[in-house]
Amino acid sequence: MNETTLNTLQNRAEKIKQGGAPKYHEKLDEQNKLFVRRRLELLFDEDFQLEDGLFANGMDESLPADGVVTAIGQVNGQTVCVMANDSTVKAGSWGARTVEKIIRIQETAEKMQVPLIYLVDSAGARITDQIEMFPGRRGAGRIFYNQVKLSGQIPQVCILFGPSAAGGAYIPAFCDVVIMVDKNASMYLGSPRMAEMVIGEKVSLEEMGGARMHCSISGCGDVLAPDEESAIASARRYLSYFPANYEQRPPRLECQEVASDRKKISEIVPDNQNVPFDMLELIGSLVDENSFFEMKQLFAKELITGFARIDGQPIGIIANQSKVKGGVLFIDSADKAARFITLCDAFRIPLLFLADVPGFMIGTQTEKAGMIRHGAKMIAAMSEATVPKISVIVRKAYGAGLYAMAGPAFEPDCCLALPTAQIAVMGPEAAVNAVYSNKIAQLEGVEKADFVKEKREEYQRNIDIYRLASELIIDGIVQPDHLRDELMGRLKAYEGKDIPFSRRRHSVYPV
Amino acid sequence: MKQVQASMAGTVWKVLVAVGDQVEVGQDVVILESMKMEIPVQAEAAGVVKEIKIEEGSYVGDGEAMIELE
């Protein structure tokens, strides 16, 4: 071939790989953002990647690659597919080829059965191209349809670097995990300008749809990252707990012993049921060193959800945090748990429940907000999970709290108790008041105090954990400082568990 | 004006500060009693206690202002 032919290809490809005009690259710098191809370099193990559709919309020089890069590369040695918006090209907006490229990389990920990562930084649809990209069979709606179809089949990860507006906001919504870059990422259906025009509200973008808001209040975000490098590192770390698809097992790594300067579990858990302690500290002393990766750390903090490893085996932890709101289950915490349990169960990640829960929140405020139907989501998700399911009663497990935390009736592979465990419909104080309220009202002074004290002690004896073990309600009582060894053995023993849950098309899911 | 709000519905068990006290971010200022648990509530901002709007034994709803700081 002659030199010109070869040079033309090289020049054209190079030009496209530079993305949009220099002024838009300057804008990236101002916003502390990285160029899309730099993001891909950081995401993949190696620099080299396969790319489809580089010349998309190539007849129009102002739209390099039509504003999206679709690539195949490796993360932690695992092949993955990626779609990445280029915000230097018309603010990363979607035209007809942009949408077609996104749909095709989804189809590729489906055929290959490998994880799919969405690097989102897009202003939304190009209104000028709406007939070509919005309503049709392979219009933008198909992207969301495909996401729903792929959900639970392959991991779908979203990193949000910039806006994700209007319909585009549903890309993160249908992913398994959303990692958001603080200050830059945002999700909203209508912009602040539109909110002012349509409903008369004056509000900033950060307040209405910013990363911090979504990670702490709405629950749409899972991880809040201080910058892009850290967001990408989080995505790589997240994927290290996951298999390539639902048919494979999560990758086991080498065991990392717990650091010797960590406190013993027996030193962490207080005997007094009503005094809070830090469950995160207990988790740190239980799982492989530095293996805990928390999901929704800033949202509904009374319940902790996160991935970890024990003896190198990935697990999902659901734990009550008595330090926040007493560890009581609320609407948001029930949602958070349901979502996390479903995620782990989809990808064969065993579940560990650490219970220290006074129950579901009561009172007008939460009843009006639908506490019961939200609580039902958590109980449904936990019931349906067929992965190895281990329940550890750390301290109290009262009322429906026991049920929600995989209590004995919900077929955990085992329900273990620490010696501090207390299982009951309600705590001694509340129970004595409920049963003897008339009698207590009649008594006064010392007589009253003595009566209450005696009844509480009687109640305490009745719910004694050794009595529950003797009735085979729990499967064992474990020394706190042997819990890690016990769980290592249990996780190994239950490895081969493979059971169906129920015969039907699907459950009528509580929402 | 900065406020300390109730983190959940419950009864005020102990107020740990008095008007004029300097409080720091993360300092426990009130302990609620709810669902038979002690629920410590921290100040999310530093400041001087200007007004205490609740008293021990009173009911507070989720998000209700308990202490005004300045």
Side-chain angles (χ1 to χ4, degrees), chain A residues 37 40 49-54 65 68-72 81-84 98 100-105:
Chain A
R37 290 179 189 276
L40 289 172
Q49 70 212 29
L50 302 170
E51 182 173 351
D52 289 327
L54 177 68
V68 68
V69 180
T70 50
I72 302 171
C81 290
V82 181
M83 87 98 221
T98 324
E100 181 61 28
K101 281 176 74 172
I102 299 173
I103 293 171
R104 288 193 192 178
I105 197 73

Side-chain angles (χ1 to χ4, degrees), chain A residues 367-434:
Chain A
E367 296 290 4
K368 277 188 180 169
M371 184 69 249
I372 296 167
R373 66 188 176 86
H374 291 284
K377 288 189 220 179
M378 178 178 181
I379 296 177
M382 176 275 304
S383 301
E384 285 189 25
T386 55
V387 287
K389 193 157 87 177
I390 297 175
S391 163
V392 175
I393 315 294
V394 176
R395 288 200 302 178
K396 64 201 146 335
Y398 294 157
L402 171 72
Y403 293 172
M405 295 300 284
F410 292 83
E411 280 219 20
D413 295 289
C414 61
C415 181
L416 303 172
L418 296 192
T420 35
Q422 194 165 92
I423 294 175
V425 168
M426 55 180 97
E429 298 87 350
V432 170
N433 284 342

Side-chain angles (χ1 to χ4, degrees), chain A residues 451-467:
Chain A
F451 178 80
V452 170
K453 187 162 172 276
E454 186 203 315
K455 288 297 168 195
R456 279 186 190 172
E457 281 167 6
E458 185 185 306
Y459 186 83
Q460 199 72 256
R461 282 194 297 277
N462 198 29
I463 60 167
D464 181 65
I465 198 65
Y466 291 94
R467 176 162 183 240

